[in-house]
Amino acid sequence: MPQIIELPERPYVGVRRTITMTTFGLVADRIGEIIGWLAERGVPIAGAPFLRYESIDLAADRLVVQAGVPVPEPVEAEGDLFAATLPAGRYATVTHHGHPDELRHVIESLLKWGAEQGLEWDMTEKDGAEHWGCRLELFQTDPRVEPDPHNWDTDLQFRLA
């Protein structure tokens, strides 16, 4: 069952890509690289790695997505990595246990629940695309520890307006 939680600002290091539904690996596969980059610099990880959806245009099969890793304090990034902060605020959240391919149905359920609750998302629509203030998928399971994606836990956190 979804719930509403209050979250503080959270600094992170990330990378941004414009992708399609079939090229998610171009951004998602960078999470390990970001974790390695942080480890080389002695920067601890301060939470679950995530994907942050900035823009979603399903009709055009075009998404702007970040891969990010939370850090305790802002750090200077380099190359195509950048430092940023997830905004504080109220988030609707739900946890999914199972294969990431099943997330579509969980997302649909969360959006429907929000509509039923009269919630307004931190999202605007323009030219058929959704532009999100902060829409996250946080990967709570380390695939090195649990290689079976059917046993993974993923938190969805969608910021409210």
Side-chain angles (χ1 to χ4, degrees):
M1 174 63 107
Q3 59 181 327
I4 297 173
I5 59 174
E6 188 81 29
L7 292 169
E9 286 188 340
R10 297 167 281 171
Y12 69 97
V13 172
V15 63
R16 176 184 294 108
R17 289 285 179 269
T18 300
I19 60 170
T20 68
M21 291 300 286
T22 58
T23 61
F24 257 94
L26 294 175
V27 69
D29 292 349
R30 300 286 305 274
I31 289 173
E33 176 187 333
I34 297 168
I35 291 170
W37 184 87
L38 291 168
E40 289 172 4
R41 286 152 184 80
V43 178
I45 295 170
F50 59 84
L51 294 178
R52 179 178 183 180
Y53 294 78
E54 291 182 19
S55 175
I56 301 171
D57 185 343
L58 292 179
D61 194 21
R62 183 179 184 278
L63 302 95
V64 179
V65 180
Q66 298 177 20
V69 178
V71 292
E73 296 178 20
V75 299
E76 260 191 64
E78 57 191 36
D80 65 347
L81 299 180
F82 61 85
T85 303
L86 297 173
R90 293 173 57 234
Y91 288 77
T93 185
V94 67
T95 298
H96 168 64
H97 179 79
H99 200 287
D101 288 347
E102 300 165 354
L103 280 172
R104 178 177 165 193
H105 303 293
V106 179
I107 291 166
E108 289 170 359
S109 295
L110 179 60
L111 293 172
K112 181 180 178 202
W113 175 83
E116 291 168 353
Q117 302 299 312
L119 301 175
E120 188 177 332
W121 304 110
D122 181 12
M123 185 267 294
T124 56
E125 292 187 50
K126 183 178 179 192
D127 300 326
E130 298 176 348
H131 301 277
W132 288 82
C134 196
R135 175 176 164 166
L136 303 170
E137 292 176 7
L138 296 100
F139 306 109
Q140 299 295 344
T141 305
D142 184 338
R144 297 170 301 179
V145 175
E146 174 52 71
D148 182 355
H150 293 94
N151 292 324
W152 292 357
D153 289 320
T154 306
D155 291 343
L156 300 179
Q157 294 178 353
F158 292 12
R159 189 166 185 248
L160 299 172

